[in-house]
């Protein structure tokens, strides 16, 4: 029965509210058993550029949409029982990019900035270092495939972009996504798209969902949306992918629209390639009905991969959080983070968490700050409390960036933000240092874990520890596992 006493439990001005809330949290932690079963399945979710600041701001963003203040809310994965912090630096840079960090959390080895699937012995652009193979490293997908598990990647970026490419490719430069991106002189290295089709690990993936269709098609061909291919070598890698899968006795399917994804017969195909955009997939706030959501791709990937009785390893990336931050478009960044949280929630509805290890993390931070002294319930995408205007008596936004295209410091006077339309989806938030693209940040990122051996992810550790812990829990890979102590 809802009465006056019940109301006090949800009244933040009542001291009992906070005491009871803390006791509930304490009891939940005390009653959480450590699951030490073998993880049949592993799902690694990555919010590209999803800093802790981004998480905090997204809570308030969602709260405003559903009639709450928001600060008190939790994203789906923030309720996971175990949380840690991962250090993200590269071998040669103190602030990571998505290539060196992808190599770390997918292969277990830290690398140089801009390189994929190669140790720190190979510098960016060293084609010879890529070709000789001595410094190549593999990780989760390779280990899972050798153990007989199904594997897949899902992303909202190009499937050849740095984060997903780290799952299967070896490249001295993350920009070598298609042959047209390769240097015109010197040694010829295999591009990333080609490695997805011809590479040992890439060709073994059972599910690949995302964008980047142009990198698989020659310039002479037009895709379903009227966009030309990008390849110079005349190869259609989509056709090659189909032929290769068939030669391996696998019944494959290529799809390019949301309708095809939703109508796909999960039991009919052994491998599915879905390229839903010529370039990156659209931001959720701008997407039409032709492109599936991250949740829809995640759910379909799990349904397909779950047919394997030995289990699966799936990598899911909310990649456009990062691109929005680079453009200092905070609204889009927060919305893409909310979409990742929805995808995690969708996955939890259909997996058995007793046998599925789910980890959510980020590859690196960004320079967005969350500041000022605004009252609860303030629009997170609006102005800080007017009572605390800056020294020039002009307002400032709650969210801003240390650097980026939204800089207001090109003159001796700050621009008056009151004249801006901050409801515009493409509004660029203010930044201190003027540069064309905002940079990453170097602080640690959060790691959230649920399922078998999730307690391994507590504490502070190097980012390359993550795949070793995932492998331990699921009994894959050459290192220490719970099956071979």
């Amino acid at each position: 029965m809802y009465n006056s006493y019940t109301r006090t439990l949800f009244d933040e001005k009542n001291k009992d509210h906070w005491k009871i809330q803390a006791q509930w949290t304490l009891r939940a932690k005390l009653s959480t058993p450590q699951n030490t079963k073998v993880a049949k399945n592993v799902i690694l979710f990555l919010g590209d550029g999803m800093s802790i600041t981004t998480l905090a701001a997204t809570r308030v963003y969602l709260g405003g949409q559903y009639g709450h203040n928001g600060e008190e809310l939790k994203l789906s994965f923030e309720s996971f029982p175990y949380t840690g912090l991962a250090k993200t630096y590269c071998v040669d840079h103190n602030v990571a990019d998505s290539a060196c960090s992808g190599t770390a959390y997918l292969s277990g080895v830290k690398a140089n900035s801009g390189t994929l699937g190669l140790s720190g012995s190979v510098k960016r652009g060293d084609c010879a270092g890529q070709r000789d193979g001595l410094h190549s490293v593999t990780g989760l997908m390779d280990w899972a495939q050798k153990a007989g598990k199904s594997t897949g990647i899902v992303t909202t970026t190009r499937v050849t972009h740095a984060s997903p490419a780290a799952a299967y490719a070896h490249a001295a430069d993350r920009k070598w996504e298609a042959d047209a991106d390769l240097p015109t002189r010197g040694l010829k290295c295999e591009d990333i798209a080609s490695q997805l089709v011809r590479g040992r690990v890439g060709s073994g993936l059972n599910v690949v969902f995302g964008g980047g269709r142009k990198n698989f098609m020659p310039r002479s061909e037009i895709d379903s949306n009227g966009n030309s291919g990008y390849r110079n070598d005349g190869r259609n890698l989509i056709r090659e992918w189909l032929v290769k899968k068939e030669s391996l006795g696998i019944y494959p399917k290529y799809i390019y629209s949301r309708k095809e994804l939703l109508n796909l017969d999960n039991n009919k195909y052994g491998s599915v390639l879905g390229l839903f955009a010529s370039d990156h997939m659209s931001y959720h706030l701008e997407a039409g009905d032709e492109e599936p959501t991250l949740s829809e791709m995640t759910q379909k990937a799990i349904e397909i991969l779950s047919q394997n009785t030995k289990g699966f390893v799936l990598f899911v990336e909310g990649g456009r959080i990062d691109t929005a931050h680079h453009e200092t478009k905070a609204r889009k960044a927060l919305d893409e983070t909310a979409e990742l949280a929805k995808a995690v929630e969708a996955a939890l509805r259909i997996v058995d968490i007793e046998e599925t290890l789910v980890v959510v993390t980020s590859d690196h931070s960004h320079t967005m700050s969350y500041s000022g002294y605004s009252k609860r319930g303030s629009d997170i995408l609006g102005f800080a409390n007017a009572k605390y205007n800056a020294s020039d008596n002009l307002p400032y936004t709650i969210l801003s960036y240390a650097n980026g295209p939204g800089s207001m410091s090109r003159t001796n006077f700050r621009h008056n933000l009151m004249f801006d339309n901050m409801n515009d989806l493409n509004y660029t938030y203010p930044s201190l240092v003027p540069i064309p693209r905002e940079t990453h940040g170097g602080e640690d990122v959060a790691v959230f874990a649920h399922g078998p051996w999730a307690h391994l992810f507590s504490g502070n550790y190097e980012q390359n520890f993550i795949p070793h812990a995932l492998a331990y829990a699921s009994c894959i890979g050459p290192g220490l596992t719970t099956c071979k102590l």
Side-chain angles (χ1 to χ4, degrees):
M1 180 177 179
Y2 187 79
N3 52 35
S4 58
Y5 175 73
T6 306
R7 284 198 300 273
T8 65
L9 300 184
F10 300 96
D11 179 7
E12 292 185 349
K13 296 178 181 178
N14 188 312
K15 63 183 179 182
D16 289 338
H17 164 84
W18 299 106
K19 291 179 180 179
I20 293 170
Q21 179 211 62
Q23 287 295 309
W24 280 345
T25 302
L26 180 60
R27 288 180 182 276
K29 288 186 177 295
L30 290 172
S31 63
T32 300
Q34 290 187 352
N35 182 346
T36 56
K37 297 178 182 178
V38 174
K40 176 183 177 181
N41 311 309
V42 170
I43 308 177
L44 176 59
F45 283 93
L46 183 90
D48 196 315
M50 188 175 68
S51 62
I52 293 176
T53 303
T54 303
L55 295 175
T58 301
R59 294 178 209 136
V60 185
Y61 171 76
L62 284 174
Q65 292 183 339
Y66 296 102
H68 301 282
N69 287 328
E71 293 87 353
E72 72 284 1
L73 301 180
K74 287 186 178 182
L75 303 179
S76 58
F77 49 85
E78 291 183 309
S79 295
F80 284 9
Y82 298 100
T83 306
L85 290 171
K87 298 191 286 185
T88 63
Y89 62 90
C90 308
V91 170
D92 62 343
H93 283 72
N94 58 6
V95 176
D97 80 315
S98 293
C100 78
S101 55
T103 303
Y105 63 74
L106 285 167
S107 77
V109 174
K110 287 221 173 193
N112 289 326
S113 181
T115 65
L116 290 164
L118 300 167
S119 74
S121 297
V122 179
K123 294 181 179 180
R124 185 169 190 170
D126 180 5
C127 186
Q130 173 183 329
R131 283 184 54 135
D132 67 24
L134 294 174
H135 306 294
S136 295
V137 294
T138 60
L140 279 177
M141 297 302 169
D142 181 35
W143 303 338
Q145 289 172 4
K146 288 177 177 176
K149 294 181 182 290
S150 293
T151 53
I153 58 174
V154 172
T155 181
T156 50
T157 66
R158 298 184 296 271
V159 298
T160 51
H161 206 234
S163 299
Y168 61 85
H170 310 284
D173 196 319
R174 58 177 287 180
K175 292 185 177 180
W176 296 346
E177 296 186 47
D179 69 309
D181 299 316
L182 293 167
T184 56
R185 298 179 181 178
L187 293 172
K188 292 294 183 181
C189 280
E190 188 174 15
D191 63 88
I192 294 169
S194 181
Q195 291 184 55
L196 177 57
V197 174
R198 292 185 169 184
R200 180 174 57 81
V201 177
S203 64
L205 294 169
N206 301 92
V207 172
V208 178
F209 291 158
R213 195 185 302 135
K214 67 179 182 180
N215 290 326
F216 295 82
M217 296 175 56
R219 294 182 186 273
S220 59
E221 294 187 23
I222 306 294
D223 70 13
S224 55
N225 294 330
N227 299 304
S228 342
Y230 182 59
R231 300 192 66 83
N232 286 333
D233 57 10
R235 294 163 59 194
N236 185 309
L237 294 180
I238 297 171
R239 283 197 287 268
E240 284 192 24
W241 179 85
L242 290 167
V243 171
K244 182 164 181 85
K245 290 291 185 180
E246 289 170 351
S247 71
L248 297 173
I250 300 169
Y251 191 30
K253 178 68 174 177
Y254 165 65
I255 57 177
Y256 57 85
S257 70
R258 177 172 181 262
K259 182 178 180 181
E260 286 185 301
L261 177 78
L262 298 181
N263 293 331
L264 192 68
D265 185 342
N266 301 332
N267 302 312
K268 192 173 181 180
Y269 305 102
S271 194
V272 183
L273 172 64
L275 299 176
F276 304 108
S278 177
D279 204 289
H280 292 323
M281 293 181 68
S282 302
Y283 286 109
H284 169 251
L285 289 172
E286 297 174 332
D289 294 334
E290 284 298 304
E291 296 182 21
T293 64
L294 184 60
S295 295
E296 290 168 343
M297 292 191 291
T298 300
Q299 180 170 330
K300 183 61 71 171
I302 293 171
E303 290 170 354
I304 295 170
L305 297 174
S306 294
Q307 296 176 77
N308 187 338
T309 57
K310 293 184 178 180
F312 63 85
V313 172
L314 174 63
F315 173 68
V316 180
E317 182 200 23
R320 304 232 59 190
I321 302 169
D322 177 74
T323 58
H325 273 321
H326 278 307
E327 299 166 353
T328 66
K329 294 177 180 175
R331 184 182 299 272
K332 287 182 174 179
L334 304 191
D335 189 76
E336 292 296 316
T337 305
E339 285 301 296
L340 178 71
K342 291 178 187 176
V344 174
E345 190 173 2
L348 293 175
R349 284 197 296 266
I350 60 176
V351 300
D352 181 356
I353 200 62
E354 286 299 307
E355 62 177 19
T356 304
L357 174 56
V358 181
V359 173
V360 183
T361 187
S362 177
D363 48 354
H364 53 70
S365 180
H366 270 276
T367 72
M368 186 181 78
S369 67
Y370 176 174
S371 61
Y373 298 101
S374 297
K375 293 182 179 179
R376 289 285 296 280
S378 297
D379 180 5
I380 190 68
L381 293 163
F383 296 115
N385 194 329
K387 181 180 177 181
Y388 301 101
N389 272 355
S391 299
D392 56 9
N393 288 321
L394 293 176
Y396 62 94
T397 52
I398 297 172
L399 302 180
S400 60
Y401 292 82
N403 56 48
S407 173
M408 298 300 177
S409 59
R410 294 185 182 91
T411 67
N412 292 328
F413 300 98
R414 228 166 36 98
H415 168 68
N416 190 341
L417 299 174
M418 292 295 290
F419 296 111
D420 292 355
N421 178 13
M422 296 173 65
N423 291 318
D424 188 336
L425 296 182
N426 291 303
Y427 180 73
T428 50
Y429 274 72
S431 59
L432 176 63
V433 178
I435 56 174
R437 264 172 75 82
E438 179 264 358
T439 71
H440 296 164
E443 65 267 30
D444 298 352
V445 295
V447 184
F448 305 89
H450 195 8
W453 293 98
H455 54 282
L456 294 178
F457 296 89
S458 300
N460 181 278
Y461 37 81
E462 299 287 357
Q463 192 172 41
N464 67 293
F465 165 75
I466 293 173
H468 291 277
L470 294 173
Y472 178 90
S474 56
C475 291
I476 62 175
L480 186 68
T481 75
T482 185
C483 298
K484 50 179 183 181
L485 298 177

